[in-house]
Amino acid sequence: MKTNVRTNEKIAKTVIWSAALFVIFILLFVIIHILARGLPRINWQFITDIPRSMGRTGGIASTIVSTVFVTAVAILIAAPFGIGTAFYLAEYTRESAVTRIIRFCAESLAAIPSIVYGLFGFIFFVIYLDLGWSVLSGGLTLAFMILPTLIRTSEEAIRAVPYIYREVSFSLSATKWQTIVKVIFPSALRGIANGIILSVGRCIAETAAVMLTAGSALRMPTSLFSPTRTMAVHFFVLAREGISMENAYGTAALLIILIFFINVVANTMVNRFMGKGR
């Protein structure tokens, strides 16, 4: 009997490790393939020059700035609402019909395809509110899209904080708000930051929703109301139309580097903040 149990355990471990290694292999294969094709194209001129001839020549400076602007607008709008909703669900309410409705709405938002968000953003922001194809329209649409991710990840991070932290804070005559600001938020910061990083990655990589709301202009954006083209949209257009696969791979490689850089910087800042808080 013990032999069978040990054999089953070994088989289970082998299957689990095989699955994990297979996922890692796929990830490394995709990254190495894109970097191998794209890194030779990346140079200072490619990064600082604007696209020319529909992206056939020139660089991708305007698309980099556009990506940063659209992502920043989305995060600045969605983060307060997402994190605030998470604190409301975790700290100010008990399980009830209201909380179930809020979670159902968040899960429903997460299940909506990005192209539907794009259509909604096009009809509501671009046409009805007359914002036009712009950085603001794209950022607002992405804010709706990443809201469920921010709510769920932040709520799980807040609930993971041991309840004894709250009890100690209350025993020292701290108010509910002081406990949240001084105790719970710093303890849950790592999980909240991970949710923000995931949201940033989704904003940077999104194409359909941004294409229908931010537009596809190659010029440098000068305001929130400028039509623009993000790096992901630029890569999609170059690859789909066959305009320049060399520039498409260069854009994709720079996207990977940018996301990696954002992850490293964000995690470093969180670690330093939490280290100072101890």
Side-chain angles (χ1 to χ4, degrees):
M1 187 68 179
K2 291 182 178 179
T3 304
N4 292 335
V5 172
R6 290 177 180 176
T7 302
N8 292 335
E9 186 176 350
K10 289 181 180 179
I11 294 173
K13 285 183 178 180
T14 302
V15 172
I16 292 171
W17 273 102
S18 299
L21 291 174
F22 180 69
V23 171
I24 294 173
F25 170 77
I26 294 175
L27 175 63
L28 292 177
F29 176 79
V30 172
I31 293 176
I32 292 172
H33 174 74
I34 293 175
L35 292 180
R37 298 286 298 272
L39 285 179
R41 181 67 184 91
I42 298 176
N43 52 46
W44 183 247
Q45 182 179 0
F46 183 72
I47 296 174
T48 57
D49 196 8
I50 63 173
R52 307 178 190 279
S53 301
M54 300 300 294
R56 187 173 288 103
T57 59
I60 58 171
S62 61
T63 65
I64 295 174
V65 174
S66 301
T67 301
V68 173
F69 280 6
V70 172
T71 302
V73 170
I75 295 298
L76 289 175
I77 293 173
F81 288 101
I83 298 172
T85 302
F87 272 106
Y88 172 77
L89 292 173
E91 297 297 324
Y92 285 97
T93 63
R94 295 179 179 179
E95 194 63 30
S96 63
V98 175
T99 58
R100 287 193 292 270
I101 290 173
I102 294 174
R103 289 195 182 93
F104 175 78
C105 292
E107 292 169 0
S108 298
L109 283 173
I112 297 176
S114 60
I115 189 66
V116 177
Y117 278 107
L119 182 60
F120 162 77
F122 175 73
I123 295 173
F124 186 67
F125 297 122
V126 177
I127 297 178
Y128 182 74
L129 296 182
D130 198 24
L131 297 177
W133 285 300
S134 62
V135 172
L136 184 58
S137 296
L140 288 170
T141 304
L142 289 178
F144 277 74
M145 186 181 301
I146 64 176
L147 198 56
T149 301
L150 287 169
I151 293 173
R152 296 302 295 164
T153 54
S154 298
E155 184 183 1
E156 292 300 322
I158 294 166
R159 291 188 181 278
V161 178
Y163 190 76
I164 192 172
Y165 287 14
R166 299 165 175 83
E167 292 179 335
V168 171
S169 179
F170 294 146
S171 69
L172 296 174
S173 300
T175 64
K176 184 76 170 180
W177 178 248
Q178 289 173 329
T179 301
I180 289 175
V181 174
K182 299 293 185 179
V183 179
I184 301 175
F185 180 74
S187 300
L189 181 60
R190 189 185 299 275
I192 294 174
N194 287 335
I196 294 176
I197 293 171
L198 288 173
S199 301
V200 169
R202 186 172 184 187
C203 290
I204 292 175
E206 183 55 44
T207 54
V210 179
M211 187 182 298
L212 290 174
T213 54
S216 190
L218 289 173
R219 61 179 179 271
M220 187 72 71
T222 56
S223 71
L224 292 177
F225 299 98
S226 299
T228 191
R229 177 189 291 189
T230 62
M231 294 173 67
V233 174
H234 187 59
F235 163 72
F236 172 75
V237 172
L238 293 180
R240 184 192 62 179
E241 301 294 339
I243 296 174
S244 174
M245 291 305 299
E246 184 182 23
N247 284 349
Y249 272 109
T251 305
L254 204 57
L255 267 173
I256 292 176
I257 295 172
L258 179 62
I259 293 174
F260 177 78
F261 175 77
I262 290 173
N263 275 271
V264 171
V265 171
N267 280 296
T268 301
M269 292 177 63
V270 170
N271 290 334
R272 287 185 177 180
F273 177 82
M274 295 189 71
K276 289 180 180 179
R278 291 191 182 97

